[in-house]
Amino acid sequence: MDFINFIPNFGGPVLTILAFVLALSVIVAIHEYGHYIVGRWSGIEAEVFSIGFGPVIWSRTDRRGTRWQLAALPLGGYVKFLGDGNAASVGGDGETEMARNTMLGAPLWARAVTVAAGPIFNFILSFVIFAGLLVSLGQPMTPLTVSSVPDWPESRAMELETGDTILRIEGEPLNYPEGFGAALDALPSAPVLDYEVVRDGTRMTLRGPHPAPSRVQSITPRSAADDSGLRIGDLILSMNGTPVYSFMDMVDVVNAIGAEPITLSVWRDGAVREEILTPRMVAIPQEDGSMRDEPKMGIGNGGLFFEPQTMTVGLWEAMKLGAQQVWFIIVQSLNGLWHILSGAISTCNLSGPVGIAETAGSMASQGAESFITFIAVMSTAIGLLNLFPIPVLDGGHLVFHAWEAVTGKPPSDGALRILMAIGLSLIGTLMLFAIANDLFLCP
């Protein structure tokens, strides 16, 4: 944690590179370790476990004969199993390739589970991170109880104090968490609202701002807000001269204006400043499962104006919510890809390595929790990508194994060479298009 919090001190390109390399190295290490350890459990020996490609800058050989190494280009990694002709485990070395402890000589079941283990370990990493964050951070107590309140301008009167238990706002019961969204929707747009609270055993009515305020609670990487001078914690007072008091007020203004420049009046540390930004079109999931491009500033919602007191989340509940989050990312990723291919949303929603690196830097600059969450999201995405049935990817190898299971023999060497060339061409083309998106087509 301390190291991640130290990274933002570098700033700019250095932060971006360091965050990208760190995130990618963690994800690749877990992915390749999945291949390695399940292969070892299945009786397949590994010759090399490498993080990175190219010249080796550090290595050691363990008692099993596996060389563990770090290479100069930290853009991936591989496990070279005994008897493999290359790092992609395609073809043999002509000498030991058919022995039981090699990839080619092992039973079909052993080869299949070894291949599948890489993506599965990526999903497990995401699951562990999401569940771990829930256990360590907890969730708001019920009923909502104030832990701390911010120092805000006098126009947003703040009479609440630490320890206050909130029962109603403008007469609306909060019923957190089930009825919380409905209660927020029912609240008026106003600078000050009436709060019914319990303080030291006494019921009283106090004044306070909208519970879901027009505040920058998070910033989406590579968004209009990310490119502006906004910071987390900024309070938006007005947009194009229109006062805003809640997050939904900001949404309404953006929806009305669209992807046009907006002048923001921002309160920060006792001073008011102006920021101008232009919302960008972003693919947003709809209730019917479709996706639609909508104008977004890139300011996150979902928070309260105060810090709520938290309670511990049980391990089982955290595991359940962690699994749900991994599944949600998988479903939304596939949904987004389908809508890009069908032309329903812009191809600008597809990012390449440059965009991912910028996102890594942005998330690292927002703190350890944001950066670790980014690693979890990317781990699921990379695990899913590797399951696509494209030769050179794990999913392509699983298709080869399925072919062998049905026909009783693997694809011929000639067919493998052709299919691998096609797979490399597809991956290369996609990578070039994504880089072009990052640098030229979707700045």
Side-chain angles (χ1 to χ4, degrees):
M1 293 284 191
D2 291 337
F3 173 70
I4 296 174
N5 286 327
F6 176 67
I7 288 179
N9 293 330
F10 288 105
V14 176
L15 165 63
T16 296
I17 293 171
L18 284 176
F20 177 64
V21 169
L22 177 59
L24 185 61
S25 297
V26 170
I27 294 169
V28 167
I30 293 297
H31 180 97
E32 298 303 333
Y33 187 76
H35 289 315
Y36 164 78
I37 194 64
V38 173
R40 197 180 87 183
W41 292 339
S42 304
I44 304 172
E45 297 181 14
E47 290 186 313
V48 180
F49 184 106
S50 180
I51 301 299
F53 300 101
V56 176
I57 58 178
W58 173 88
S59 70
R60 63 173 290 271
T61 301
D62 65 19
R63 59 185 178 83
R64 295 177 176 273
T66 302
R67 186 173 76 248
W68 300 75
Q69 66 183 39
L70 294 175
L73 300 176
L75 300 177
Y78 63 89
V79 175
K80 184 177 182 294
F81 289 102
L82 184 64
D84 287 346
N86 51 57
S89 296
V90 176
D93 63 7
E95 297 178 2
T96 60
E97 59 185 59
M98 296 310 294
R100 170 60 181 84
N101 60 349
T102 68
M103 178 62 90
L104 290 180
L108 179 59
W109 69 265
R111 286 178 276 144
V113 297
T114 298
V115 170
I120 290 173
F121 268 54
N122 280 136
F123 298 147
I124 292 174
L125 172 62
S126 300
F127 163 76
V128 169
I129 289 176
F130 288 132
L133 286 174
L134 283 168
V135 170
S136 63
L137 299 176
Q139 63 182 9
M141 293 177 58
T142 302
L144 286 173
T145 302
V146 178
S147 175
S148 64
V149 293
D151 179 20
W152 272 4
E154 293 182 0
S155 60
R156 310 287 174 99
M158 189 75 66
E159 296 180 348
L160 278 77
E161 297 179 357
T162 299
D164 289 345
T165 297
I166 301 174
L167 305 178
R168 297 172 180 270
I169 304 177
E170 291 291 319
E172 292 288 337
L174 293 190
N175 297 326
Y176 184 85
E178 290 80 8
F180 189 61
L184 292 183
D185 292 340
L187 295 178
S189 174
V192 179
L193 302 177
D194 288 334
Y195 283 70
E196 184 180 341
V197 306
V198 174
R199 177 184 295 174
D200 298 329
T202 303
R203 281 186 180 243
M204 58 183 63
T205 299
L206 306 171
R207 297 186 305 159
H210 196 285
S214 53
R215 173 188 171 212
V216 181
Q217 297 167 42
S218 65
I219 295 177
T220 303
R222 306 189 73 220
S223 65
D226 196 24
D227 293 340
S228 73
L230 290 176
R231 298 179 188 172
I232 293 176
D234 285 350
L235 183 65
I236 312 300
L237 301 179
S238 67
M239 303 171 66
N240 280 357
T242 300
V244 290
Y245 306 113
S246 69
F247 184 85
M248 285 309 301
D249 287 347
M250 295 195 296
V251 172
D252 292 340
V253 172
V254 171
N255 287 339
I257 295 176
E260 299 293 334
I262 299 177
T263 300
L264 308 179
S265 177
V266 181
W267 185 91
R268 179 193 301 165
D269 298 331
V272 178
R273 54 185 290 146
E274 278 195 356
E275 292 286 347
I276 299 177
L277 57 77
T278 302
R280 297 173 184 172
M281 303 305 290
V282 178
I284 303 298
Q286 307 298 309
E287 291 184 1
D288 60 2
S290 64
M291 300 190 81
R292 185 175 65 196
D293 285 334
E294 298 180 0
K296 297 293 178 183
M297 293 191 297
I299 297 174
N301 66 341
L304 301 165
F305 78 85
F306 60 90
E307 288 292 330
Q309 292 186 11
T310 59
M311 60 182 180
T312 302
V313 177
L315 182 58
W316 173 250
E317 181 70 11
M319 292 172 63
K320 182 177 69 173
L321 294 174
Q324 289 175 352
Q325 186 63 30
V326 172
W327 181 246
F328 174 79
I329 295 170
I330 291 173
V331 171
Q332 291 303 320
S333 296
L334 292 174
N335 192 28
L337 180 60
W338 167 251
H339 282 84
I340 289 175
L341 294 175
S342 65
I345 60 176
S346 170
T347 56
C348 288
N349 290 286
L350 180 66
S351 293
V354 176
I356 294 172
E358 291 179 350
T359 301
S362 177
M363 296 301 280
S365 69
Q366 296 183 40
E369 182 184 343
S370 295
F371 184 66
I372 293 172
T373 301
F374 166 76
I375 291 177
V377 173
M378 284 303 303
S379 185
T380 295
I382 289 176
L384 177 62
L385 174 64
N386 270 278
L387 286 177
F388 285 2
I390 300 175
V392 311
L393 297 180
D394 294 328
H397 286 280
L398 291 174
V399 171
F400 297 155
H401 294 329
W403 172 271
E404 183 177 349
V406 172
T407 64
K409 59 182 180 181
S412 66
D413 288 343
L416 280 176
R417 283 194 294 270
I418 293 173
L419 291 171
M420 294 298 286
I422 293 173
L424 284 170
S425 298
L426 287 173
I427 295 297
T429 300
L430 178 62
M431 184 68 69
L432 289 174
F433 178 76
I435 292 174
N437 255 4
D438 292 338
L439 298 179
F440 308 113
L441 303 179
C442 308

